[in-house]
Amino acid sequence: RAFIAAGVTLAGCAVPGRPPLGPIYRPTRGNGDQPPLVVVPGAFGSSLRVRSTGREIWPGTNPQLLVSDYRELELDIDPDTLEPLTGDVEASDVFREGLGRDFYGRVLDTLHDAGGYARGRLGTPPQPGRRTYYVFLYDWRLDNVAAARGLAGLIEGIRHDYGDPALRVDVLAHSNGGLLARYFARYGTVDLPADGRFVPTQAGAPAIRRLLLVGTPNLGTMQPVLGNLRGEEIGLRSIPQEVVATCTGAPQLMPHPAIPWVVDVHGSDLALPLFDIATWRDNHWSIFSGRVAERTVAEHGGGAAGRRYLEVLRSYMAKHLERGRLFMESLSVPGGPGEIRPYVFGGDCELTLARVVAERIDGRLVPRERVKDIANPQPGVDYTALMFEPGDAVVTRSSLLGRRTLNVAAPRAEIESIDVAHSVFLCEEHRALTGNATFQNNLLNTLLSVDPD
C-alpha cells in the first residue's frame, strides 16, 4: 500500500533493545565541520498544502488517512501542452508521522539527538561548529527532473548561506528521492533528451560528497503499476486510477523497460511494453477500463465535457509514460568518469512483487498480483518464485542494487546500472527502513566518518 510503502513504523513507543546511539556518537560532536546534510524524502514524504489558505491536502488529518480517497491530489491538465497545472499547491514540510506511525520523524530525531545535527533553513547562516541538515521538499506528484532542478536550487542556496560556492553536501535520499538525486548527480538540471541519447555529464556530482540511498528502486518498482491498475491504496480506501494517472512522477518509478513485468500463467514473458499506451488501451486497464472511464466522465462534468476530459487524460498518460521510460533509461546507461558511487541501504527479507501474472478471462487479460487470485494455475509452475523476489515488500533487492534478475523464462539484456560503494541489508520492510536502529547506526557511522586527506 502506498501509505505503508512510503514509510511506516510505530512512533512514540519504546523499542526493546534499541541501542543508545546518543552516547555512541557523542565523542564525534567535536567534529562539527562535517558537510551539511540534505534529506530527500520519497513519494508521499512531503506534505502538500494549498498556498493561499494553508489547508493541507496531504496527508491531512488522521481520519483522512483512514478513509479519504484524496481526489484533491488530482492535477489539472493543460489540454494543449499535456502538462500538469499545479495551481495553488505547494510542498510545505516533511511528513513526520500519521496515525501514530512514523514516516521520517524518527530518523530526523536521531540526526538531531545522536548525530548533533540542527535543521537548517535557507537564508539563515549556519551555526559555527554545529552540524546542519536540510530537508528538500517537493511535490512528489510531479516530474522527477523538475524535482532534481529544485534539489540543485536548494544546494546552491546552502552554498550561499555557507559562503562557499564549491561546498559539497551529503545527500540522504529515501525511495523515489534517490532517483531524483541520482538524476541531479548525473545530469544536473538538463532535461531528458527526446531522442534518448543520454550523455551523463556528472554535472551535479561535484556538489555531493556522499550519496546515501535508502530503499531506492534503481530499476523501478511495481508499486506505481499497481496504482494505475487498481488505485493507490491508502488506509482503508484507494486513490482512484484516474487521479493516479495525473501524477507525472508515477511512471518514472515503474520497472525498467528491459525488465519483464508481466507473464502468463505458464510463466512466459508476455513482452507487453509497459511504457506504451497501447498496452493499457488494448487491455482495458487503468483509465481505459469501462468502469474507470464512466467514473472519470461523471467526475468531470459528464456528457461531452467529461468525454473530452477523458480523451485529454488518455493522451496525457501516453505522453508521460514515454517520459517515464526515458527517465528510467537515463539512470541505467553507463555513467562514465566522475560518477558518484552511492552507499545503499535496503531490505531483502520480504517477498516482493517483481511481476504480475496475467490470465485471459472472457477474452481479456486480467493481471494478478497475488498467487491466490490466479483462477487457472498451471501444474508445475511455482508462482511464488515467478512473481516475487527478495526485497523490502516494495523494492526488490535487484532493483535496489541496479541489477536485474534472470529468473523468468524469456530474459532480456543484462542491466547493471550503478556501481555501489557499500551496501547494507536489513530484515525490514520498506515502510520502516528509515526508522530502523541498525540503519540509523550505519547512517551516522557513514556520515560522521572523516575523509582521509
Side-chain angles (χ1 to χ4, degrees):
R1 296 185 172 190
F3 172 64
I4 294 176
V8 195
T9 186
L10 292 177
C13 302
V15 180
R18 191 170 182 85
L21 295 179
I24 291 172
Y25 288 97
R26 188 171 295 126
T28 71
R29 290 296 181 93
N31 181 24
D33 59 349
Q34 290 291 86
L37 171 66
V38 177
V39 179
V40 187
F44 297 91
S46 297
S47 302
L48 303 178
R49 70 181 177 192
V50 178
R51 185 182 294 107
S52 58
T53 65
R55 182 173 55 84
E56 193 169 90
I57 65 170
W58 172 263
T61 64
N62 282 340
Q64 281 179 288
L65 281 170
L66 273 179
V67 299
S68 176
D69 63 5
Y70 284 101
R71 282 195 171 271
E72 281 190 294
L73 293 177
E74 182 177 78
L75 287 155
D76 291 331
I77 301 171
D78 184 324
D80 297 320
T81 64
L82 298 179
E83 288 297 320
L85 301 171
T86 57
D88 198 25
V89 174
E90 64 179 359
S92 56
D93 204 352
V94 65
F95 186 6
R96 290 183 59 94
E97 66 90 26
L99 292 175
R101 296 173 181 265
D102 174 72
F103 272 60
Y104 296 102
R106 183 177 287 175
V107 70
L108 296 183
D109 288 345
T110 295
L111 286 171
H112 180 274
D113 298 340
Y117 285 85
R119 184 167 178 177
R121 306 283 182 181
L122 283 189
T124 303
Q127 301 175 36
R130 182 70 188 267
R131 299 175 188 139
T132 307
Y133 78 89
Y134 300 80
V135 180
F136 173 57
L137 303 173
Y138 65 102
D139 188 336
W140 38 264
R141 301 173 300 168
L142 301 174
D143 186 85
N144 272 332
V145 177
R149 291 177 182 142
L151 176 60
L154 173 63
I155 292 174
E156 284 306 304
I158 294 170
R159 286 173 157 181
H160 180 269
D161 287 348
Y162 273 75
D164 183 355
L167 178 72
R168 293 194 300 164
V169 302
D170 291 333
V171 175
L172 168 62
H174 176 243
S175 199
N176 180 64
L179 297 181
L180 70 91
R182 286 188 62 215
Y183 187 91
F184 163 70
R186 278 191 160 202
Y187 302 99
T189 59
V190 174
D191 199 6
L192 290 163
D195 60 6
R197 296 180 183 177
F198 305 107
V199 182
T201 60
Q202 308 305 330
I208 300 175
R209 183 190 70 146
R210 291 185 183 136
L211 175 59
L212 292 78
L213 306 178
V214 187
T216 294
N218 290 298
L219 291 178
T221 168
M222 288 296 292
Q223 197 72 31
V225 178
L226 299 179
N228 274 279
L229 287 172
R230 43 79 163 150
E232 195 73 56
E233 295 180 350
I234 304 287
L236 302 177
R237 299 188 67 182
S238 296
I239 302 173
Q241 294 97 316
E242 62 271 25
V243 175
V244 174
T246 69
C247 298
T248 57
Q252 297 173 3
L253 277 162
M254 289 181 176
H256 191 283
I259 297 177
W261 69 280
V262 57
V263 295
D264 65 17
V265 290
H266 301 284
S268 298
D269 177 15
L270 287 173
L272 294 176
L274 177 58
F275 296 93
D276 187 340
I277 197 65
T279 294
W280 300 84
R281 182 190 64 231
D282 296 348
N283 291 291
H284 306 281
W285 292 339
S286 185
I287 55 176
F288 294 93
S289 156
R291 176 178 55 83
V292 176
E294 289 178 7
R295 187 173 65 218
T296 304
V297 169
E299 287 284 340
H300 291 83
R307 290 191 293 272
R308 280 195 301 271
Y309 174 81
L310 179 61
E311 290 308 308
V312 168
L313 179 60
R314 288 171 171 175
S315 297
Y316 174 93
M317 182 177 178
K319 175 179 179 176
H320 293 286
L321 279 171
E322 172 60 14
R323 189 165 173 83
R325 179 186 69 81
L326 289 171
F327 180 80
M328 188 53 66
E329 289 185 343
S330 75
L331 297 179
S332 63
V333 297
E339 179 152 64
I340 294 174
R341 300 179 66 216
Y343 297 78
V344 170
F345 303 86
D348 66 348
C349 297
E350 299 288 333
L351 287 177
T352 302
L353 188 69
R355 57 197 60 87
V356 294
V357 168
E359 56 182 338
R360 198 161 293 281
I361 304 292
D362 296 329
R364 290 187 178 182
L365 278 181
V366 179
R368 309 295 194 189
E369 61 181 285
R370 299 184 301 181
V371 174
K372 67 179 182 179
D373 291 336
I374 299 173
N376 300 297
Q378 300 299 299
V381 179
D382 185 341
Y383 290 104
T384 298
L386 181 68
M387 298 168 65
F388 296 88
E389 296 179 15
D392 63 14
V394 173
V395 177
T396 64
R397 178 173 59 196
S398 59
S399 180
L400 179 77
L401 294 173
R403 301 168 188 165
R404 64 148 299 175
T405 182
L406 295 177
N407 66 345
V408 293
R412 302 176 193 165
E414 288 267 14
I415 300 171
E416 186 162 345
S417 64
I418 56 175
D419 181 15
V420 174
H422 184 66
S423 59
V424 175
F425 286 94
L426 312 166
C427 282
E428 191 70 90
E429 292 186 357
H430 189 84
R431 63 186 179 87
L433 285 171
T434 61
N436 180 278
T438 300
F439 159 70
Q440 293 178 1
N441 183 35
N442 280 273
L443 167 67
L444 293 177
N445 183 65
T446 303
L447 290 175
L448 302 181
S449 58
V450 179
D451 288 333
D453 295 331

